[in-house]
Amino acid sequence: MRRLLPVLAILILLGACRRDEGEAGPHEHAAVPAAAGAVYERRWQAVLPCADCAGIDTELLLIQQGERREYVLTESYLGVEDDGDTVFHSQGAWAVSHGFDADPQAVVYTLDADDATRRRAFLRRDDGGLELLDRSGRRIDSRLDYTLRPVVNER
């Protein structure tokens, strides 16, 4: 429960924030920092493959306020019958980089870029989805779908 409180606090604060129209946020890959005080958020979700469960219901929230970039990642392991501790939350800083394989325009979001033990990377797809990359930052060699889909904000 203590791990859930910081996540809930962030989500409550974000709910009180309003998105200013016409300014670039993390999903527009702004070269210019966002206006001071403006908060931008973007959410992706999907059930990703799991080797020993029915799937991992994964939700990623990227938040940007000025130069500050934070993420909240929630992973729920489905169909696991253990002590009930099947939901994991993590949060931290994220970074954006350009260039992947032969595409110099490709965008990669990296969670915890400064911590190799927690680092995760997602390749931004043309359809707006985020494809999970392996621990080495390469595409996962599988026929299974490792893509998070954008969640449309309801307003």
Side-chain angles (χ1 to χ4, degrees):
M1 183 67 176
R2 283 195 316 218
R3 290 186 285 167
L4 186 56
L5 289 176
V7 173
L8 291 174
I10 289 172
L11 293 176
I12 289 169
L13 287 172
L14 289 174
C17 296
R18 172 179 158 269
R19 182 182 182 135
D20 293 316
E21 298 301 323
E23 295 177 336
H27 58 287
E28 284 95 6
H29 320 297
V32 178
V39 176
Y40 300 97
E41 64 179 68
R42 185 73 190 263
R43 186 180 312 269
W44 291 265
Q45 188 276 330
V47 176
L48 299 180
C50 178
D52 57 358
C53 69
I56 305 169
D57 188 1
T58 305
E59 184 173 307
L60 173 62
L61 173 65
L62 295 183
I63 307 156
Q64 181 174 348
Q65 182 173 17
E67 294 289 326
R68 196 178 98 235
R69 293 177 173 158
E70 295 182 44
Y71 76 87
V72 177
L73 179 67
T74 303
E75 298 170 298
S76 302
Y77 286 72
L78 306 174
V80 177
E81 296 182 27
D82 60 0
D83 63 351
D85 191 15
T86 59
V87 179
F88 298 95
H89 301 279
S90 60
Q91 59 190 68
W94 62 275
V96 62
S97 60
H98 297 273
F100 183 80
D101 288 342
D103 182 3
Q105 301 302 315
V107 175
V108 175
Y109 295 132
T110 304
L111 312 182
D112 295 310
D114 296 330
D115 184 349
T117 62
R118 293 180 42 174
R119 182 178 306 140
R120 294 209 191 165
F122 295 87
L123 175 64
R124 170 96 183 196
R125 295 169 33 125
D126 290 339
D127 63 3
L130 296 182
E131 180 182 342
L132 177 65
L133 301 175
D134 70 13
R135 295 280 180 193
S136 300
R138 297 185 196 104
R139 282 195 157 111
I140 297 172
D141 185 19
S142 173
R143 293 180 188 210
L144 301 174
D145 188 6
Y146 286 88
T147 304
L148 299 176
R149 307 282 181 231
V151 175
V152 178
N153 290 337
E154 295 178 16
R155 296 202 177 229

